[in-house]
Amino acid sequence: MTDLVKAVFLSYATQDAVAALHLCSGLRDAGIEVWFDQSELRGGDAWDTSIRRQIKSCALFIPLISTNTRARTEGYFRLEWKLAIDRSHLMATGRAFLIPVVIDDSGDSDNTVPDRFREIQWTKLVDGIPTKSFVERVSRLLVAGGDATVVHSPNSVARAAVSPSRRLPLTLRSTWSYSLAAITLTLLIGGTWFFQHRATVPPPTAAYSAEDRRMTFAMLPLQADGEDPIGIQIANATGAATFTSLDENHEWVQLTPQLSVTNALRQFAAPRDLAGSLKVHFLFRGSVTHGPAGYSVTLFVVDGETEHVLGSKSLPIPANAPTLHPPQEEIDHATGMLVYYALESEVARARDKPDAALDVRDLTFRAFVDWGHKSMADDGKGGYMEATELLNRALVLAPDDALALRLTTQINLCDCVEAWSTNSAQQQSIGEMALDRFLSRNPDDPGMLHQKAILYQLRGRFQESLLILDSLLSRNPENSGAVEDKALALLKLGRPNEAAAPATAAYAARDRPGRAALLAAIDYELADYAAAERLAQKAITEMSKAQLRNSNDGTVRLTLIAAAARLHDDTAKKATLSDLVNSVPDLTTLSAIRKWMNPQSNLYGYEPLFEGLKLAGLHD
């Protein structure tokens, strides 16, 4: 902390860590110093001494009150409360020091709360989400040196909007995460200006109208051999899991109730007739087959009007599988890709519309599809610029549109930005403003909370990222994306032994280059150089040329070179070093490599990596 006497101390029960993080982030974003113990202290005597010192010297003490604090009759936070109350007794009348905040429906009659707190007006911030008025009040108190006679508290209790928990819609976070290009400074400034100055425009366009059939789906029963009872069970279980996955992708998908589908199937068999009867554009179908290695489920999406299959995904179920359907994450991934094929079809339908007739959904759908396609076709510049322009237009029509805010966050916080931007903090700023706007209305959305964790990692705030990721995993332990990012956070915090298990679990859940590269980095730090070399080689063979030139993902070649050097594997060392220099010609010295490496890369700043590179023949 740079100025302890102007700091705010947050005191909370462990179970309220996420709410405390919300409040901490909101205050810090306003430039307020916050003492948030889990982000900077580790425990033990030094931890206890530091907390006591901060309570003794901080400007304001904010205790978070909740059903969790009521339930815990013992806890370190109660000592913090006592220390703060003891200090308040030494202060002059009118000095504001204690600012109790209640984060749920707990009432001020709670007899587990100290009398001193109940003598003071509480502020209610649901889930710890700070309101603008609360942040302004804290700022004024800090400026006034705690003089409450200068700062008038609001008469009404501040409340934050709470929306139901939502699932991350499409599992496509990293599909094009490596090859987007630079946007001009004018466009960046324009994007930032939009979020800082809400445009005065016509009323928002409805995201969907009652007659709107875009991205409408019906899930048909999966087919299996009528004489195979296990195959029938697999078809029923997978169909139910697929329906759930589609239903929870509500920002992208409108799903017809199953009862309507059952009734329609009594009258119609042809896909065109079924789609017309149900008034949907797309049908989800599937089949179960049995082979020597076990069962296989094939899901496919059909255009109801043309009866063309737009895409399919096959999911194996080995003979020794623990469940009668593929893992839910595999179903979610397959469903997401099939929904994307339908999205491409909707965008193609809208290509002939006059530009002025494009509504919020046309603009957001096209932004996402064009971002993906054009990032593959060039260095990414066209895809990013066109997507940003389309999303800005969508947000002018509907400033609070959830999908437009989600996509604006995604393309600006994508790690691919680092590959081309000369000032990625500007993209992060745009993404953060969209993220905060979204979370102010949907504070429990797991996908966007995950994006918040990613933002913290981009800014080097790994302990705060870890708090969010642990909260997400407490709700959904099978979220392998959160598991992967937890492993990265632990690695960056210097805890490779703890990072190994989540990294291995994420790799096992879905084998892909980024996860192999992360596990290789962890194995390198654990001095398992043979495993590091093997996993790094696997990641490299699966990465594109653009990925390998990327100063984040491409650093996996440094892991391989250093591991091979320590293993005296001259063949792998020389070949990989040659490939590295051929794709990034300036990387001939250690100083050039240090400058090139992205701060977010797995082994950035890890000196034993550079010792391995020295063994490989690289020098300053």
Side-chain angles (χ1 to χ4, degrees), residues 55 61 76-89 114 117:
I55 293 175
F61 182 90
Y76 196 92
F77 69 90
R78 293 200 176 275
L79 176 59
E80 295 172 350
W81 289 5
K82 180 181 182 303
L83 294 172
I85 291 170
D86 289 346
R87 183 182 168 199
S88 73
H89 289 314
F117 289 176

mmCIF file of all heavy atoms in Angstrom, residues 55 61 76-89 114 117:
data_model
loop_
_atom_site.group_PDB
_atom_site.id
_atom_site.type_symbol
_atom_site.label_atom_id
_atom_site.label_comp_id
_atom_site.label_asym_id
_atom_site.label_seq_id
_atom_site.Cartn_x
_atom_site.Cartn_y
_atom_site.Cartn_z
ATOM 1 N N ILE A 55 -5.084 -2.023 10.848
ATOM 2 C CA ILE A 55 -6.279 -1.543 11.544
ATOM 3 C C ILE A 55 -5.940 -0.325 12.390
ATOM 4 O O ILE A 55 -6.748 0.603 12.535
ATOM 5 C CB ILE A 55 -6.883 -2.673 12.409
ATOM 6 C CG1 ILE A 55 -7.428 -3.784 11.503
ATOM 7 C CG2 ILE A 55 -8.006 -2.144 13.311
ATOM 8 C CD1 ILE A 55 -7.934 -5.001 12.245
ATOM 9 N N PHE A 61 -12.630 1.756 8.312
ATOM 10 C CA PHE A 61 -12.761 0.316 8.555
ATOM 11 C C PHE A 61 -14.154 -0.102 8.105
ATOM 12 O O PHE A 61 -15.162 0.402 8.606
ATOM 13 C CB PHE A 61 -12.563 0.013 10.046
ATOM 14 C CG PHE A 61 -12.629 -1.453 10.381
ATOM 15 C CD1 PHE A 61 -11.487 -2.239 10.355
ATOM 16 C CD2 PHE A 61 -13.837 -2.051 10.735
ATOM 17 C CE1 PHE A 61 -11.536 -3.596 10.681
ATOM 18 C CE2 PHE A 61 -13.896 -3.407 11.054
ATOM 19 C CZ PHE A 61 -12.743 -4.174 11.026
ATOM 20 N N TYR A 76 -11.523 -14.997 12.760
ATOM 21 C CA TYR A 76 -10.522 -13.932 12.876
ATOM 22 C C TYR A 76 -11.147 -12.559 12.641
ATOM 23 O O TYR A 76 -10.713 -11.556 13.213
ATOM 24 C CB TYR A 76 -9.378 -14.170 11.887
ATOM 25 C CG TYR A 76 -8.150 -13.347 12.206
ATOM 26 C CD1 TYR A 76 -7.147 -13.862 13.012
ATOM 27 C CD2 TYR A 76 -8.008 -12.047 11.728
ATOM 28 C CE1 TYR A 76 -6.031 -13.112 13.326
ATOM 29 C CE2 TYR A 76 -6.895 -11.293 12.039
ATOM 30 C CZ TYR A 76 -5.905 -11.822 12.841
ATOM 31 O OH TYR A 76 -4.810 -11.066 13.155
ATOM 32 N N PHE A 77 -12.190 -12.524 11.803
ATOM 33 C CA PHE A 77 -12.820 -11.229 11.535
ATOM 34 C C PHE A 77 -13.373 -10.608 12.812
ATOM 35 O O PHE A 77 -13.447 -9.378 12.931
ATOM 36 C CB PHE A 77 -13.926 -11.373 10.476
ATOM 37 C CG PHE A 77 -15.145 -12.131 10.938
ATOM 38 C CD1 PHE A 77 -16.217 -11.476 11.524
ATOM 39 C CD2 PHE A 77 -15.226 -13.509 10.779
ATOM 40 C CE1 PHE A 77 -17.339 -12.169 11.944
ATOM 41 C CE2 PHE A 77 -16.338 -14.213 11.188
ATOM 42 C CZ PHE A 77 -17.398 -13.551 11.782
ATOM 43 N N ARG A 78 -13.755 -11.438 13.783
ATOM 44 C CA ARG A 78 -14.281 -10.878 15.040
ATOM 45 C C ARG A 78 -13.182 -10.181 15.838
ATOM 46 O O ARG A 78 -13.439 -9.184 16.506
ATOM 47 C CB ARG A 78 -14.944 -11.984 15.872
ATOM 48 C CG ARG A 78 -16.209 -12.519 15.202
ATOM 49 C CD ARG A 78 -17.138 -13.225 16.168
ATOM 50 N NE ARG A 78 -18.360 -13.630 15.474
ATOM 51 C CZ ARG A 78 -19.413 -12.839 15.298
ATOM 52 N NH1 ARG A 78 -19.403 -11.595 15.772
ATOM 53 N NH2 ARG A 78 -20.484 -13.278 14.652
ATOM 54 N N LEU A 79 -11.955 -10.677 15.746
ATOM 55 C CA LEU A 79 -10.840 -9.963 16.369
ATOM 56 C C LEU A 79 -10.606 -8.631 15.650
ATOM 57 O O LEU A 79 -10.352 -7.601 16.296
ATOM 58 C CB LEU A 79 -9.577 -10.821 16.319
ATOM 59 C CG LEU A 79 -8.300 -10.144 16.855
ATOM 60 C CD1 LEU A 79 -8.468 -9.721 18.311
ATOM 61 C CD2 LEU A 79 -7.102 -11.082 16.700
ATOM 62 N N GLU A 80 -10.705 -8.647 14.311
ATOM 63 C CA GLU A 80 -10.555 -7.404 13.550
ATOM 64 C C GLU A 80 -11.617 -6.394 13.987
ATOM 65 O O GLU A 80 -11.313 -5.200 14.171
ATOM 66 C CB GLU A 80 -10.673 -7.697 12.050
ATOM 67 C CG GLU A 80 -9.556 -8.559 11.507
ATOM 68 C CD GLU A 80 -9.798 -8.993 10.072
ATOM 69 O OE1 GLU A 80 -10.921 -8.782 9.555
ATOM 70 O OE2 GLU A 80 -8.870 -9.543 9.464
ATOM 71 N N TRP A 81 -12.853 -6.860 14.137
ATOM 72 C CA TRP A 81 -13.927 -5.963 14.573
ATOM 73 C C TRP A 81 -13.599 -5.356 15.944
ATOM 74 O O TRP A 81 -13.773 -4.159 16.158
ATOM 75 C CB TRP A 81 -15.246 -6.734 14.660
ATOM 76 C CG TRP A 81 -15.817 -7.126 13.322
ATOM 77 C CD1 TRP A 81 -15.243 -6.946 12.096
ATOM 78 C CD2 TRP A 81 -17.072 -7.763 13.087
ATOM 79 N NE1 TRP A 81 -16.067 -7.435 11.118
ATOM 80 C CE2 TRP A 81 -17.196 -7.937 11.689
ATOM 81 C CE3 TRP A 81 -18.103 -8.209 13.905
ATOM 82 C CZ2 TRP A 81 -18.307 -8.534 11.098
ATOM 83 C CZ3 TRP A 81 -19.218 -8.818 13.324
ATOM 84 C CH2 TRP A 81 -19.315 -8.966 11.937
ATOM 85 N N LYS A 82 -13.133 -6.185 16.873
ATOM 86 C CA LYS A 82 -12.819 -5.700 18.214
ATOM 87 C C LYS A 82 -11.706 -4.652 18.176
ATOM 88 O O LYS A 82 -11.796 -3.600 18.822
ATOM 89 C CB LYS A 82 -12.395 -6.861 19.118
ATOM 90 C CG LYS A 82 -12.055 -6.439 20.554
ATOM 91 C CD LYS A 82 -11.620 -7.617 21.389
ATOM 92 C CE LYS A 82 -11.346 -7.180 22.827
ATOM 93 N NZ LYS A 82 -10.334 -6.117 22.934
ATOM 94 N N LEU A 83 -10.647 -4.928 17.404
ATOM 95 C CA LEU A 83 -9.540 -3.983 17.307
ATOM 96 C C LEU A 83 -10.008 -2.646 16.737
ATOM 97 O O LEU A 83 -9.593 -1.573 17.196
ATOM 98 C CB LEU A 83 -8.427 -4.569 16.430
ATOM 99 C CG LEU A 83 -7.707 -5.804 16.992
ATOM 100 C CD1 LEU A 83 -6.774 -6.398 15.936
ATOM 101 C CD2 LEU A 83 -6.924 -5.435 18.251
ATOM 102 N N ALA A 84 -10.883 -2.708 15.719
ATOM 103 C CA ALA A 84 -11.375 -1.460 15.107
ATOM 104 C C ALA A 84 -12.263 -0.694 16.082
ATOM 105 O O ALA A 84 -12.181 0.538 16.183
ATOM 106 C CB ALA A 84 -12.140 -1.792 13.829
ATOM 107 N N ILE A 85 -13.127 -1.409 16.810
ATOM 108 C CA ILE A 85 -14.002 -0.741 17.776
ATOM 109 C C ILE A 85 -13.172 -0.109 18.889
ATOM 110 O O ILE A 85 -13.430 1.032 19.314
ATOM 111 C CB ILE A 85 -15.022 -1.748 18.344
ATOM 112 C CG1 ILE A 85 -16.020 -2.138 17.251
ATOM 113 C CG2 ILE A 85 -15.761 -1.149 19.546
ATOM 114 C CD1 ILE A 85 -16.906 -3.300 17.626
ATOM 115 N N ASP A 86 -12.163 -0.836 19.370
ATOM 116 C CA ASP A 86 -11.289 -0.273 20.407
ATOM 117 C C ASP A 86 -10.646 1.017 19.927
ATOM 118 O O ASP A 86 -10.552 2.000 20.673
ATOM 119 C CB ASP A 86 -10.204 -1.282 20.783
ATOM 120 C CG ASP A 86 -10.755 -2.467 21.567
ATOM 121 O OD1 ASP A 86 -11.911 -2.370 22.036
ATOM 122 O OD2 ASP A 86 -10.043 -3.482 21.701
ATOM 123 N N ARG A 87 -10.207 1.039 18.673
ATOM 124 C CA ARG A 87 -9.595 2.259 18.156
ATOM 125 C C ARG A 87 -10.614 3.383 18.030
ATOM 126 O O ARG A 87 -10.313 4.544 18.290
ATOM 127 C CB ARG A 87 -8.960 1.974 16.780
ATOM 128 C CG ARG A 87 -8.244 3.193 16.223
ATOM 129 C CD ARG A 87 -7.662 2.959 14.853
ATOM 130 N NE ARG A 87 -7.254 4.235 14.286
ATOM 131 C CZ ARG A 87 -7.047 4.461 12.997
ATOM 132 N NH1 ARG A 87 -7.188 3.473 12.123
ATOM 133 N NH2 ARG A 87 -6.696 5.657 12.570
ATOM 134 N N SER A 88 -11.854 3.035 17.647
ATOM 135 C CA SER A 88 -12.873 4.081 17.468
ATOM 136 C C SER A 88 -13.181 4.811 18.773
ATOM 137 O O SER A 88 -13.554 5.983 18.758
ATOM 138 C CB SER A 88 -14.162 3.461 16.893
ATOM 139 O OG SER A 88 -14.837 2.692 17.869
ATOM 140 N N HIS A 89 -13.017 4.116 19.923
ATOM 141 C CA HIS A 89 -13.286 4.764 21.208
ATOM 142 C C HIS A 89 -12.284 5.876 21.511
ATOM 143 O O HIS A 89 -12.537 6.728 22.377
ATOM 144 C CB HIS A 89 -13.250 3.721 22.331
ATOM 145 C CG HIS A 89 -14.418 2.770 22.308
ATOM 146 N ND1 HIS A 89 -15.710 3.184 22.148
ATOM 147 C CD2 HIS A 89 -14.466 1.407 22.402
ATOM 148 C CE1 HIS A 89 -16.526 2.134 22.163
ATOM 149 N NE2 HIS A 89 -15.790 1.044 22.302
ATOM 150 N N PRO A 114 -21.509 -6.435 17.002
ATOM 151 C CA PRO A 114 -21.211 -5.572 18.143
ATOM 152 C C PRO A 114 -22.151 -4.364 18.222
ATOM 153 O O PRO A 114 -22.585 -3.823 17.192
ATOM 154 C CB PRO A 114 -19.769 -5.121 17.873
ATOM 155 C CG PRO A 114 -19.193 -6.190 17.001
ATOM 156 C CD PRO A 114 -20.325 -6.672 16.154
ATOM 157 N N PHE A 117 -21.368 -1.279 16.139
ATOM 158 C CA PHE A 117 -21.757 -1.266 14.731
ATOM 159 C C PHE A 117 -23.238 -0.910 14.589
ATOM 160 O O PHE A 117 -23.638 -0.212 13.655
ATOM 161 C CB PHE A 117 -21.515 -2.633 14.079
ATOM 162 C CG PHE A 117 -20.064 -2.975 13.867
ATOM 163 C CD1 PHE A 117 -19.700 -4.213 13.355
ATOM 164 C CD2 PHE A 117 -19.056 -2.078 14.173
ATOM 165 C CE1 PHE A 117 -18.375 -4.555 13.159
ATOM 166 C CE2 PHE A 117 -17.713 -2.392 13.984
ATOM 167 C CZ PHE A 117 -17.374 -3.639 13.481
#
